[in-house]
Amino acid sequence: MANTKTLRSGGEILVEALKIHGVERVFCVPGESFLAAIDALAGADRAIQTIVTRHEAGAANMAEAYGKLTAKPGICFVTRGPGASHAAIGVHTAAQDSTPMILFIGQVGSHMRQREAWQEVDYPAMFGGMAKWVVEIDRPERIPELVSRAFHVATSGRPGPVVVALPEDVLSAECETADAEAYRRVAAHPGTEDMARLAAMIGESARPLVLVGGGGWTKAACRDFAHFVEAFDLPVAAGFRRQDILDNTHPNYIGHAGLGPSKALVARIRAADLIIAVGGRLGETTTNGYTLFDVPRPAQRFVHVHADPNELGRVYQADLPINAGMPEFSAAAALKPKGPAGWRSRMPWSDEVRAARAAYEADQTPGAMPGRLDLGAVMMHLREVLPKDAILANGAGNYAIWVHKFHRYGGFRTQLAPTSGAMGYGLPAAISAKLHHPDREVICFAGDGCFLMSGQELATACQYKAGVVVLVVNNNMYGSIRAHQEREYPGRVYATTLENPDFPALARAYGAFGEKVEETAAFADAFARARAFAAEHGKPALLELVIDPEAITPSTTLTALREAALKAGHG
């Protein structure tokens, strides 16, 4: 603990607090409103690495990805007004994805507040409906107290984002104050009766199914969850973009619910007589627009495990609601509570689990798609050559359907993808992952529209030696919006066509590797060259994958969508 009799600036007190709470890296775009904090970070360079990005959205997305990777708060610093507005995307993603994150925002001086001073914003009003907590620190001596609270709020219960505004005079003022101790995460534990009831409900069922998702997972929690699944031989489906909680090669993993789920999996979920929802909110995408289960009372017997008591009963009424953090629930579940009399090691539903697994594997063989470059074949090649611990990051767009459908994620935090559906997320997230795991391969998928929302972060990757491989899937349009357009307004194409730059040349301008791939047969060698460059030089490598605009999803084409819509009388 620091000497409390020593005068320190607010910036120095803040950075000391970050060190005490275990922060190893912060992401920022510097601003004049928090110069005192920047100066203190310079003095702490050996303890805390500062990553300077090219856009505040990039910094916020990198911090959010760090929170996903570590279960510790990702830290982002931005300046007031425009900087905070740009960073709001990361706060929104952290909120919807249940990711611990703290956004520190420089604020106008206290003596100018409420005058609409230059770039002044009321941050509680701006972020109040998005963050778990928003606070503006009014005196430097309160920094240890309020920063400690920020860490506790971000990590406890359902994890999420916290926003802390820092008036520039508070950061520059000096005072004597005591430091807080390191935060301790607070979480609910499942009761003994809850776990006994869960075991009894499993024993009474004929077709149980686990639907796993949500935030707050750790590597240990995933390991314990796998033990629970194995003990009861339960089939497990993953919620939208939560495919890395259970290793996809595990015999009990049967696929994902979300965008593009298999019809067989949807049928199995509907036919289950017991749904055990672990961790997830059961949001719109995972539940296919809240149609997968009846609202408010599902037809199946329902168990809902969630870290936030306010989420239990919010949409679905459960027969057994369990308020618990994911590490706490999984540790208790791994102990396999004593089952009913006659409990067997082989369950009555074991054959059905094997059948569900076989159906999942059969659905992972892509069919042919229009054009010279087949994205399904690309995914099959990646499945063959990438190591199991490779991290795949992506933003939003129809290209991601191929990734989620055909890749097999190797376990905890091999997937970085926003359940918020945020475009531009993939590249910043990939950079954050490579900085945290320099020894692992990190692949970024981005559509042409998605990439251009954060492509400038190639400069960040080059500067900090983050050798990620970027696959830009280029169909010269906002593909997912075009697909919706053809469904609702067939043939009336407007505002979705894109004229793009030469992506490989753009990459080379940053100092990265760049190459265009236009045929399936050329991909393997091009990908090998990209991987080799990234490994040797510690800089990003970009491949532009030119695909036919007709190939809008793995199962249909734009023409087929249009014809079906016209036949149905749309447009």
Side-chain angles (χ1 to χ4, degrees), residues 172-188:
S172 60
E174 293 184 335
C175 72
E176 297 178 359
T177 189
D179 294 307
E181 294 184 354
Y183 76 94
R184 293 175 176 83
R185 172 181 165 274
V186 179

Side-chain angles (χ1 to χ4, degrees), residues 419-439:
T419 68
S420 64
M423 295 178 70
Y425 178 87
L427 181 57
I431 294 169
S432 185
K434 190 64 176 177
L435 292 172
H436 190 68
H437 292 295
D439 56 328

Side-chain angles (χ1 to χ4, degrees), residues 17-106:
L18 297 183
K19 289 163 61 178
I20 289 170
H21 293 301
V23 172
E24 59 185 351
R25 184 173 298 116
V26 303
F27 304 91
C28 80
V29 173
E32 63 191 74
S33 58
F34 61 99
L35 283 175
I38 295 173
D39 185 68
L41 284 169
D45 191 46
R46 291 186 178 182
I48 300 176
Q49 182 186 25
T50 300
I51 303 297
V52 179
T53 69
R54 298 308 196 264
H55 194 280
E56 289 90 353
N61 282 329
M62 289 182 199
E64 195 279 341
Y66 177 93
K68 276 193 174 84
L69 289 161
T70 65
K72 299 188 296 184
I75 306 299
C76 180
F77 277 84
V78 297
T79 196
R80 58 201 176 207
S85 300
H86 287 158
I89 181 61
V91 175
H92 179 258
T93 296
Q96 292 228 316
D97 287 33
S98 302
T99 305
M101 173 183 172
I102 303 176
L103 175 67
F104 290 100
I105 305 172

Side-chain angles (χ1 to χ4, degrees), residues 321-333:
I322 300 177
N323 177 211
M326 295 308 97
E328 290 72 25
F329 170 78
S330 296

Side-chain angles (χ1 to χ4, degrees), residues 13 15 57-58 62 88-89 91 99 120 146 171 223 230 294 315 320-321 331 343 358 377 403 409 507-508 546 555:
I13 297 168
V15 171
M62 289 182 199
I89 181 61
V91 175
T99 305
E120 180 182 359
L146 296 175
L171 288 175
R223 180 197 62 223
E230 292 159 2
D294 295 339
V315 179
L320 177 59
W343 196 260
V403 183
Y409 294 92
R508 291 191 293 270
V546 181
S555 59

Side-chain angles (χ1 to χ4, degrees), residues 83-172:
S85 300
H86 287 158
I89 181 61
V91 175
H92 179 258
T93 296
Q96 292 228 316
D97 287 33
S98 302
T99 305
M101 173 183 172
I102 303 176
L103 175 67
F104 290 100
I105 305 172
Q107 174 64 298
V108 301
S110 301
H111 60 291
M112 291 186 276
R113 290 286 283 115
Q114 299 184 13
R115 294 177 178 173
E116 195 181 347
W118 191 59
Q119 299 182 338
E120 180 182 359
V121 172
D122 182 340
Y123 295 112
M126 179 178 180
F127 289 103
M130 192 185 306
K132 287 186 71 177
W133 183 50
V134 186
V135 64
E136 184 165 313
I137 300 179
D138 59 355
R139 297 193 304 277
E141 59 266 27
R142 297 200 65 190
I143 290 175
E145 167 204 348
L146 296 175
V147 170
S148 173
R149 182 178 172 187
F151 276 85
H152 281 91
V153 172
T155 57
S156 299
R158 175 187 173 186
V162 169
V163 176
V164 180
L166 303 162
E168 53 186 320
D169 57 317
V170 172
L171 288 175
S172 60

